[in-house]
Amino acid sequence: MPDWLLYNGSRRTHDGIDRLPPPPPWRAFDGGPVLPIPSGGSGNEHQATTYRPSDDAVQQVNAALYLRRPLLVTGVPGTGKSTLAYAVAHELGLGPVLHWPITSRTTLRDGLYQYDPLTRLYAAGRDDAPREEDIGRYIRLGPLGTALLPYERPRVLLVDEIDKSDIDLPNDLLTIFEKGEYELPELSRRADPSAEVMTADGPGSRVTVTAGTVRCRAFPLVLMTSNGEREFPPAFLRRCVTVELRQPSGEAELSAIVREHLGALADQSDDLVRRFFERSTSGTLATDQLLNAVYLCRHADTDDRRALADRIMPYLTGPIDDD
């Protein structure tokens, strides 16, 4: 692999991120005080250590890291779009992946933070309520809001299925990605606009926000996945690095993936791999369907592995054959 690659797809944790050069002048951020990356793995170690990225995916991940730009990852279901985020976080030691699943009702505010005014109002009315209220107890940063904290290294943010979003969300994200910061009005309007708030890293994880504003230091590696259910505005695409993940191109490549995931359970699975490719000519199948079929056929007491595998590998799109 060329020396410029920080993420190389080796699946072994290393300190390559330390070689990341300063950002382009137009992508430099100066948030603080600087925070260390939370300890712990990526959050999905099996997927991270068995994922086999394509050369194109490796190149584009590194381009996104260098340019401090979001990475838009497209491809049919089962090509490993979401898994790529965990693989990068594991290899570069960037801590737990911050996962933001998108639906048609998701708004930008959902990703930035949540404020619970009702609980705050209830607490203020109690007889034993403290005179100096801790407003931070009622604010929790979302995955996007947490990723934009001033970490010393980039966090990995997985924006899952961005193509399912409301039509306005991609454009709303552009402003946040360009500025690298956001305001918490509930804090900024106070006489003391500082508070210790909760983050998306789980119970007990809190950080201090000053001046009612969060500004990043190391721009996060934002991986946005799309199944191609919609087109995106040109302004959005212009600010993204893009990569399309494809299904394995041959039986040997797919067999290697099965062995990575299942080890000895993958022995004598060549017939199921061949059947997967036969059926894939009539409709869309996903690699994880084959993994399920291989695992089940190794444990099920049946003489007709082919029929069982076909039931576990229904088509995602396209016609279903009759055999």
Side-chain angles (χ1 to χ4, degrees):
M1 288 291 184
D3 290 341
W4 76 279
L5 297 180
L6 311 175
Y7 168 68
N8 54 42
S10 68
R11 295 172 287 176
R12 295 188 300 272
T13 302
H14 56 76
D15 58 2
I17 194 65
D18 292 339
R19 296 189 286 109
L20 181 65
W26 55 90
R27 296 296 295 161
F29 304 99
D30 58 1
V34 180
L35 300 173
I37 290 289
S39 60
S42 67
N44 193 333
E45 296 310 292
H46 173 78
Q47 294 283 9
T49 56
T50 56
Y51 185 68
R52 300 166 63 91
S54 65
D55 290 344
D56 194 28
V58 169
Q59 298 274 342
Q60 296 302 80
V61 165
N62 283 277
L65 284 168
Y66 274 77
L67 298 174
R68 277 69 169 183
R69 289 293 185 185
L71 177 65
L72 180 62
V73 186
T74 60
V76 299
T79 49
K81 298 185 296 296
S82 300
T83 306
L84 178 58
Y86 294 93
V88 176
H90 168 80
E91 183 176 318
L92 296 181
L94 299 179
V97 171
L98 294 160
H99 184 205
W100 185 20
I102 303 299
T103 71
S104 60
R105 299 180 298 276
T106 301
T107 66
L108 180 64
R109 169 73 176 266
D110 296 329
L112 291 176
Y113 73 99
Q114 296 177 339
Y115 171 60
D116 187 355
L118 294 180
T119 301
R120 180 187 176 193
L121 182 63
Y122 172 78
R126 288 173 15 211
D127 293 337
D128 60 347
R131 295 185 63 183
E132 293 295 329
E133 182 186 18
D134 179 12
I135 190 174
R137 295 169 55 194
Y138 312 106
I139 296 176
R140 180 186 296 276
L141 303 185
L144 173 59
T146 300
L148 290 172
L149 287 167
Y151 291 108
E152 61 183 351
R153 293 179 172 182
R155 293 294 302 270
V156 178
L157 171 65
L158 171 60
V159 184
D160 217 358
E161 300 191 328
I162 184 68
D163 52 329
K164 286 184 166 56
S165 72
D166 176 85
I167 192 171
D168 293 326
L169 183 60
N171 284 327
D172 291 342
L173 285 171
L174 283 183
T175 301
I176 295 295
F177 291 157
E178 290 302 303
K179 294 174 61 178
E181 68 178 35
Y182 62 97
E183 181 188 30
L184 288 83
E186 292 79 5
L187 284 184
S188 61
R189 289 194 294 257
R190 291 166 56 90
D192 180 8
S194 300
E196 190 178 57
V197 304
M198 297 175 283
T199 76
D201 282 313
S205 178
R206 298 171 69 90
V207 298
T208 299
V209 174
T210 60
T213 300
V214 171
R215 180 172 174 81
C216 74
R217 190 174 189 90
F219 188 78
L221 177 61
V222 182
L223 280 86
M224 301 179 292
T225 70
S226 170
N227 292 324
E229 295 184 6
R230 60 173 290 189
E231 295 183 354
F232 296 102
F236 180 80
L237 293 175
R238 180 169 62 87
R239 290 171 173 85
C240 294
V241 176
T242 62
V243 63
E244 181 179 1
L245 303 187
R246 304 183 183 277
Q247 292 279 24
S249 58
E251 292 185 23
E253 183 180 355
L254 192 55
S255 293
I257 293 174
V258 174
R259 287 194 299 273
E260 288 284 356
H261 282 274
L262 295 175
L265 290 177
D267 294 346
Q268 299 179 345
S269 63
D270 290 348
D271 60 328
L272 298 181
V273 172
R274 191 172 304 110
R275 180 58 179 164
F276 178 89
F277 271 101
E278 290 174 356
R279 286 172 53 78
S280 65
T281 61
S282 300
T284 301
L285 296 173
T287 304
D288 53 357
Q289 293 174 292
L290 173 61
L291 296 175
N292 290 334
V294 172
Y295 178 86
L296 185 60
C297 287
R298 281 302 304 267
H299 290 88
D301 185 11
T302 177
D303 294 328
D304 196 346
R305 284 160 44 104
R306 173 169 160 157
L308 178 59
D310 286 357
R311 289 195 292 271
I312 301 302
M313 299 188 296
Y315 289 107
L316 303 178
T317 62
I320 298 177
D321 54 12
D322 297 328
D323 60 344

